[in-house]
Amino acid sequence: MLVIIIAALIGAGVYFALNRQTPAAPAPTPKIPASGPITINGEIACLPKKGSGAQTLECAIGLKGLDGQYYGLKNLSEYDQEYKFSVGGLPVEAAGVFSQEEISAPDGNKYDVTGVIELTSIKEIKEESKKCVIGGCSGQICAAEEIITTCEFKPEYACYNSARCERNKNNQCGWVMTEELKNCLANSVSASKEEQISLREGQRESSFLLEKIYSNSVTGLNFWEYPVATGQGYPVTLGLGEIVSNGCTVTLKLVRIEENAAIFSKQTDFNRPCPICLAKDTLIDMPAGKAAVQSLQKGDMVWTANAAGRRVAAIVLKAAKTPVPATHKVAHIILEDARELFVSPGHPVGDGRTIGELFTGDILDGRKITGITFVSYPEGYTYDILPSGETGFYWANGILIGSTLR
């Protein structure tokens, strides 16, 4: 069997990463037969070796399918006289006869492949043949491939819910600027809202509880929502012109005192949402098993709970990640049945509460909470998904929770 082996030139950087994202392709990958005719869409890739040992630097050219599986290409040289199909990441459609064969590497180890395809044809998937993809946390981007963004709310993003994502006459992906879309974008309000509010002693707005009003100052308690949401209020004294914040979205500025009321300017910045998502490597329940939350993509199948509380399959409508600073902390929740979860304090539980509002002894997903601690989170991003269905609920590490994307 002929498998093309290309010596890796370390200085030239010929060896490339095996785990890059597979580009979109116009046709789904079929169910793999035991043997026989097959057509696979995917990208050219170096075949990985079995086991957890170090990968040596030779590159056996093969195919990484849209299903994430690797395939040897038995007679690629017959179709690749100019080495066109030796370029890593090249999107292709390969057709031929599949067989469940093993491939040995020069060092005697086996390549980790599903099998081998004896090619009858192979062709590049041209950019113009690929459909445009709607991406971004709020579905606000129309591009040639999936793009992940931070989770920021802007009112104009709602305009794209009914807009068309297509290629233009220059073959570039973009939103079709209909009159309806133009008008919607023109009339959308700013993502930052400012208003005046009046508070009396004992009243609360956002994270700030006003306790005492004086002639030119106020005192109260501030309940931080970020980087750690907590039920403990911290003493604050505000003079005229001074501010207090929940740590992310809302800022209150004391502007004046009127008899027994304090007047604040409330600034709400929707571009600064409090991180309220799951920790990396949280396992999500799926009909096919479990998968880390950061690996899920729009279109994947997961389990959700319907309005009656029954477990049903659902499609992931949105998959998002939110950047967090090095100071970010997450809540470590432990239940009496040993289930546990690492999650940002502002994440919704699904019954109107957030994680930050829970205490030891409270009930979560039918079981008593035996421990809640806040721990440092160095991973850089938190993650969330939105399943289809009435509730948006899903199981994270076996615990039923809500979604921040609903």
Side-chain angles (χ1 to χ4, degrees):
M1 173 172 54
L2 176 61
V3 175
I4 294 182
I5 304 292
I6 299 178
L9 302 177
I10 298 176
V14 174
Y15 187 80
F16 54 86
L18 298 177
N19 293 321
R20 59 178 291 166
Q21 183 177 344
T22 303
T29 302
K31 182 178 180 180
I32 305 304
S35 62
I38 193 173
T39 299
I40 294 287
N41 290 338
E43 65 176 21
I44 296 297
C46 290
L47 298 178
K49 291 180 181 177
K50 291 184 177 180
S52 57
Q55 299 284 328
T56 52
L57 294 181
E58 81 278 353
C59 177
I61 295 297
L63 175 67
K64 181 181 180 183
L66 295 184
D67 56 1
Q69 302 296 315
Y70 288 86
Y71 303 84
L73 301 177
K74 192 169 186 177
N75 52 334
L76 178 61
S77 61
E78 298 177 17
Y79 298 88
D80 197 20
Q81 301 296 323
E82 299 178 354
Y83 300 102
K84 173 182 178 181
F85 297 109
S86 298
V87 179
L90 181 72
V92 298
E93 178 184 276
V97 179
F98 174 80
S99 60
Q100 294 182 343
E101 299 181 28
E102 291 187 330
I103 306 175
S104 296
D107 60 5
N109 292 320
K110 302 290 187 182
Y111 288 110
D112 190 4
V113 296
T114 299
V116 175
I117 301 174
E118 185 170 358
L119 293 171
T120 56
S121 70
I122 184 169
K123 61 182 180 180
E124 179 183 0
I125 299 175
K126 298 291 186 180
E127 188 73 18
E128 58 268 20
S129 68
K130 295 194 294 184
K131 293 182 179 179
C132 297
V133 178
I134 297 176
C137 178
S138 301
Q140 77 275 23
I141 295 178
C142 174
E145 59 184 20
E146 181 72 23
I147 294 178
I148 297 175
T149 69
T150 57
C151 290
E152 301 171 346
F153 173 79
K154 294 185 178 181
E156 59 264 32
Y157 289 169
C159 299
Y160 299 116
N161 290 342
S162 57
R164 302 202 315 270
C165 174
E166 300 177 0
R167 290 187 181 274
N168 58 26
K169 62 182 180 180
N170 296 321
N171 198 37
Q172 300 298 310
C173 288
W175 297 107
V176 178
M177 296 302 295
T178 62
E179 287 301 318
E180 180 182 7
L181 179 57
K182 291 178 182 178
N183 291 335
C184 182
L185 293 173
N187 295 327
S188 61
V189 298
S190 170
S192 181
K193 182 176 69 173
E194 186 171 359
E195 57 184 322
Q196 280 203 347
I197 60 167
S198 175
L199 293 181
R200 298 178 183 273
E201 291 180 355
Q203 293 183 326
R204 177 172 170 170
E205 180 68 27
S206 183
S207 62
F208 181 64
L209 172 63
L210 178 60
E211 292 186 317
K212 292 292 183 181
I213 299 176
Y214 300 96
S215 60
N216 59 357
S217 65
V218 300
T219 60
L221 297 175
N222 191 38
F223 297 80
W224 285 90
E225 297 175 3
Y226 182 76
V228 176
T230 175
Q232 178 182 356
Y234 294 88
V236 173
T237 299
L238 296 178
L240 295 177
E242 294 182 331
I243 64 173
V244 64
S245 171
N246 68 344
C248 40
T249 308
V250 178
T251 300
L252 299 176
K253 179 181 180 181
L254 180 62
V255 294
R256 65 182 183 274
I257 305 293
E258 292 182 353
E259 297 181 350
N260 60 348
I263 311 301
F264 292 85
S265 173
K266 178 182 178 182
Q267 183 80 26
T268 304
D269 188 353
F270 296 107
N271 285 328
R272 296 185 60 201
C274 300
I276 49 178
C277 303
L278 298 170
K280 182 181 178 182
D281 294 328
T282 300
L283 295 179
I284 307 302
D285 286 7
M286 307 172 67
K290 297 179 183 292
V293 63
Q294 70 270 17
S295 69
L296 295 181
Q297 299 179 3
K298 185 166 61 176
D300 287 342
M301 297 294 295
V302 298
W303 290 117
T304 187
N306 63 16
R310 289 192 293 270
R311 189 179 179 100
V312 295
I315 297 173
V316 174
L317 300 178
K318 293 182 180 179
K321 68 177 184 178
T322 302
V324 295
T327 56
H328 185 56
K329 293 188 177 183
V330 295
H332 181 199
I333 306 290
I334 303 176
L335 303 185
E336 59 182 339
D337 59 5
R339 285 180 293 166
E340 60 181 337
L341 184 65
F342 292 87
V343 58
S344 295
H347 198 97
V349 174
D351 59 5
R353 299 176 296 171
T354 63
I355 293 293
E357 296 174 313
L358 301 178
F359 294 92
T360 299
D362 287 347
I363 301 299
L364 177 61
D365 194 22
R367 292 292 184 270
K368 185 181 295 184
I369 297 174
T370 58
I372 301 179
T373 56
F374 293 96
V375 298
S376 297
Y377 180 75
E379 295 295 338
Y381 289 90
T382 54
Y383 302 83
D384 199 8
I385 61 170
L386 175 63
S388 59
E390 307 105 314
T391 66
F393 297 167
Y394 59 94
W395 279 268
N397 284 354
I399 300 174
L400 185 63
I401 60 171
S403 173
T404 67
L405 304 177
R406 187 171 174 82

